[in-house]
Amino acid sequence: MGRYLAGRLIQTALVMLAMSLAVYLLIGLMPGDPIDLMVSGDPRITAADSERLRALHGLDRPLWERYLSWLGPALGGDLGYSRLHAQPVLSVLMPYLGNTALLMGLSFVLAVVLALPLGIWAARREGEPVDHAINLFCFAGISVPPFWLALLLMMLFAVALGWLPAGGVETVGGGGFWDRAVHLVLPVATLTLASVAGYARFMRASTIEVLRRDFVRTARAKGASESRVVLHHVLRNALLPVITLVALNFGALFSGALITETMFSYPGMGKMIYDAIMANDYNLALAGLLLATLLTLLANLAADLGYAALDPRVSLERAAA
Amino acid sequence: MMHALTAPLLRHSAHTRGWHRFLEHRPAAISAVVLAVLVLLAACQPLIVAAMGHDPDAVDLLARFEPPSWGHLLGTDELGRDVFLRLLAGGRVSLFVGVIAALIGTFVGTLVGICAGYYGGRIDSILMRTTDAVIALPLLPVLIVVAAIDPAKLGIPEAWRGGDGADLTRIVVIIALFGWTTVARLVRGAALALREQEFVRAATALGATPLRIMRVHLLPNMASPIIVATTLSVGHVILFESVLSFLGLGIQPPRASWGNMLTGAQELIWSAPMLVVYPGMLIFVTVMAFNFLGDGLQHALDPRATRRGERRTA
């Protein structure tokens, strides 16, 4: 176990290193640089001044040299300074990360709690009207553009009914716990609806596979109640592949969070990354993207560990060899 | 002799059975009709524009937010442009981008997957680790960065960057760049399984080159899953195109796309909700139709999956 984990962590670190280079180069290819922005903000800066400034900040050096001089401090935890927020990147990131964790965590739990019974229900009634209805719902869920779903929910609940706020995290001037909770309803609903369909499809397919197995027939034959068959024999086996698929879907969940946060002006990581890219805040965009990638890789790792914990047949040591 | 006589008959009946299985899948049959109508409308868009007599991109600030009329079938938008004609123009763009980017993605994915599956060993592990890494990316933020890069800094000559279709080419390339992974994994799996089969070994023993084996023996035998995956991927591409265009990074105005027609939508939900409903509904219906179509094709082309299903319900 320890050896396997160490190997996987080293692998993750290598992928992160490759990603940081790739993203650094990509961001270097975005139009303009910080000096261009300074020049456009201050007409007194002459061409000679901007040359001097470029040399001073190292922007005249080739991209790979700049990457190396970014990497050193970054490994020590110094990710630079955010131009947009006028604060060190690390202290900007943390509150956004917290907000996103809240949004994604709530939506994820809700989506899983809804998807498991839906998937099992559809699988047990395969080919019947209930299955068709759930199937239709799932196809709708994976086909709906999330930003449009957000707009529809806003139109219904914020404009037409006036029950819920259309965006933000709290009423201007601050509010209590209840006020924050009310602001979370629409973003969480959007993200949940956008992910529940995919999970339910995984669960349905996986449950159908397990229901065909001999041990299910044996369990029924020996007189086990239907609820015991489903909860004890089917659920645990059906859950295994679903865990992997759901964890591999973490990147998609993050993409959904970016859209949801942008639509509802919710100050989370996704919106922060989008705003940073739009405002040419390179340091912040880079750190945000790398953090998102790291979280996705760790989710995949957690899935493999969870798989091993649930399935005694899987030996991680053997997998590592 | 016997074989030669029955072979065409058998092939015919296999096709008919596939066709029946497809029609049996009612949502897929309906989706095929819906898509045919959408494609027809998109193809006839220039004719319809000529018949209606106004340019979908023409701004008329004196005729903003007009209600539907015979002159403007679905009214006008916040700049006085004809909504119906813009929806048609947007559909042309979305379908074009969806199909072309999906095809390029399939081509790249097939190439990667077949090399990985056929050669195995180190080539396989390098290609598949790369695929895994791309799959692990938080796709949308990365697409936003890629969409924001300046082609001039990549050294792409001015002649390729400017011009009328620059935003179209750009979005196709960006989406195809990341859209090949599903097909790559699928094709690799199929190639791994086929590689060990007798007829492929026989071909190898007869001295067929790897290229010939891939082209003649492997590819035709994995056509079905590739067709299904491509159909599903058209839907995904249309979704991503609409999101990027909505965020202002995809198709650029004045060219209409279903995504960029919603760019100012947060203000419109108060004043003109129908302008929000139309483009989104079209994206939704089109993507859903492609998803159902893919599902139906799988049903029709993969008899094994169906037979198992039939045994279950019987």
Side-chain angles (χ1 to χ4, degrees), chain B residues 171-191:
Chain B
I171 190 111
V172 167
V173 170
I174 291 168
I175 294 181
L177 217 52
F178 296 92
W180 51 269
T181 49
T182 316
V183 174
R185 296 182 79 156
L186 200 95
V187 167
R188 172 184 175 266

Side-chain angles (χ1 to χ4, degrees), chain A residues 94-128:
Chain A
M94 285 310 149
Y96 286 98
L97 186 62
N99 285 337
T100 292
L102 185 64
L103 172 67
M104 281 175 65
L106 279 174
S107 311
F108 179 75
V109 170
L110 260 177
V112 169
V113 164
L114 289 171
L116 296 189
L118 270 180
I120 294 174
W121 193 20
R124 294 197 52 226
R125 301 250 182 278
E126 194 192 345
E128 293 175 30

Side-chain angles (χ1 to χ4, degrees), chain B residues 118 200 203-204 208-220:
Chain B
Y118 179 76
V200 177
T204 316
T209 60
L211 198 67
R212 184 178 160 80
I213 290 177
M214 287 182 200
R215 202 163 43 84
V216 179
H217 299 287
L218 298 187
L219 269 184

Side-chain angles (χ1 to χ4, degrees), chain A residues 11 19 26-32 123 126 136 139-140 142-145 147-148 151 154-155 159 209 212 251 254-255 258-259 262-263 274 277-278 289 292-293 296-297 300, chain B residues 129 136-142 144-146 148-150 153-154 239 242-243 246-247 249 262 265-266 269-270 273 276-277 280-281 283-284 287-288 291-292 295 308 312-313:
Chain A
Q11 214 178 6
M19 264 304 287
L26 278 178
I27 287 184
L29 287 169
M30 288 187 355
E126 194 192 345
L136 190 68
F139 268 87
I142 56 171
S143 308
V144 69
F147 64 98
W148 185 63
L151 287 167
M154 264 186 229
M155 277 203 290
V159 180
E209 280 299 311
R212 278 181 201 144
F254 194 87
S255 297
L258 188 150
I259 299 169
T262 313
M263 295 307 295
Y274 175 68
I277 293 170
M278 288 297 137
L289 268 166
T293 313
T296 315
L297 292 173
N300 293 349
Chain B
R129 288 297 81 73
L137 293 179
L139 193 53
L140 190 59
V142 175
I144 290 174
V145 177
V146 178
I149 68 172
D150 181 2
K153 288 197 181 178
L154 264 180
L239 269 186
S242 72
V243 171
F246 169 75
L247 292 173
L249 291 159
L262 288 168
Q266 260 121 326
I269 60 170
W270 307 93
V276 179
V277 172
M281 185 60 88
I283 302 171
F284 177 45
V287 174
M288 190 139 140
N291 283 334
F292 271 134
D295 200 46
R308 258 189 300 169
R312 266 284 308 164
T313 43

